[in-house]
Amino acid sequence: MTTSQKLFNELESVLSGEPWYGPSVYSIVDGISFEAAYEKPAGSIHNIAGIILHMVGWTEEVMDRMNGMEAQLPVRGDWPEPGQPDEQKWKWIVEDLKLVNVNLAGFIQNFPEEKWIEPVTGKLDRELGTGETYEHQASGLIQHHIYHSAQIALLNRMING
């Protein structure tokens, strides 16, 4: 199995399949009301909408890196502010998450196999995840999705009991 196929399969499982650890990202996100998406339980730093915007931003950044751009913080910012609660805006945030991951899946499937072992463009910066291979970046982003989907599930449980 190629690196592209392995990463694509892992991404698809995490996003919409049946990963071994529990519910997929989309099954968690699709169960969130817009009211819950904007609520910030006591002690929480972020709300669900903000976490998803963070996930979208980093997905875009990893695709930019795969496209040869120098590593930096996401164009949208590391933690974009989701603004005031708005049902339509919440739908757009969820649609953005799904669309950016469709694009990521395409990037992964079409990424040249020999490039997976090359380092990402940019100076070594552990916080930005630079100096690592493209394979490590893509794998790390999938792990990032898992980590934040668990946060989302916990915040939703705190809000809705």
Side-chain angles (χ1 to χ4, degrees):
M1 180 181 300
T2 66
T3 301
S4 294
Q5 192 59 50
K6 180 184 82 166
L7 289 167
F8 173 79
N9 290 348
E10 187 68 23
L11 179 66
E12 290 298 302
S13 174
V14 165
L15 291 174
S16 59
E18 295 183 12
W20 73 266
Y21 61 82
S24 68
V25 172
Y26 295 158
S27 67
I28 292 168
V29 170
D30 288 342
I32 308 289
S33 69
F34 91 92
E35 296 92 351
Y38 288 90
E39 190 171 328
K40 195 181 292 183
S44 296
I45 297 172
H46 305 289
N47 60 22
I48 292 168
I51 293 170
I52 292 176
L53 289 172
H54 170 79
M55 292 169 70
V56 169
W58 277 103
T59 303
E60 291 170 340
E61 173 58 22
V62 168
M63 286 190 299
D64 285 347
R65 294 173 184 189
M66 292 174 74
N67 219 11
M69 295 176 67
E70 190 148 324
Q72 62 180 3
L73 285 172
V75 173
R76 297 177 183 234
D78 192 14
W79 287 99
E81 178 56 46
Q84 295 300 311
D86 180 296
E87 188 167 10
Q88 184 58 52
K89 188 175 180 183
W90 169 241
K91 289 177 184 177
W92 290 333
I93 289 171
V94 172
E95 287 175 18
D96 279 354
L97 177 69
K98 292 178 180 181
L99 179 60
V100 76
N101 279 292
V102 166
N103 293 336
L104 175 64
F107 265 82
I108 287 172
Q109 286 181 304
N110 295 308
F111 200 72
E113 190 64 25
E114 67 277 2
K115 284 195 70 165
W116 285 115
I117 60 171
E118 292 180 12
V120 171
T121 305
K123 65 181 181 189
L124 179 60
D125 183 335
R126 183 73 182 123
E127 192 170 306
L128 284 179
T130 56
E132 301 167 342
T133 65
Y134 288 103
E135 179 180 6
H136 194 260
Q137 289 279 290
S139 180
L141 183 64
I142 293 166
Q143 294 167 15
H144 187 254
H145 282 356
I146 295 167
Y147 174 82
H148 286 301
S149 68
Q151 282 185 310
I152 291 166
L154 288 171
L155 283 173
N156 192 47
R157 182 175 285 170
M158 288 171 66
I159 293 164
N160 293 309

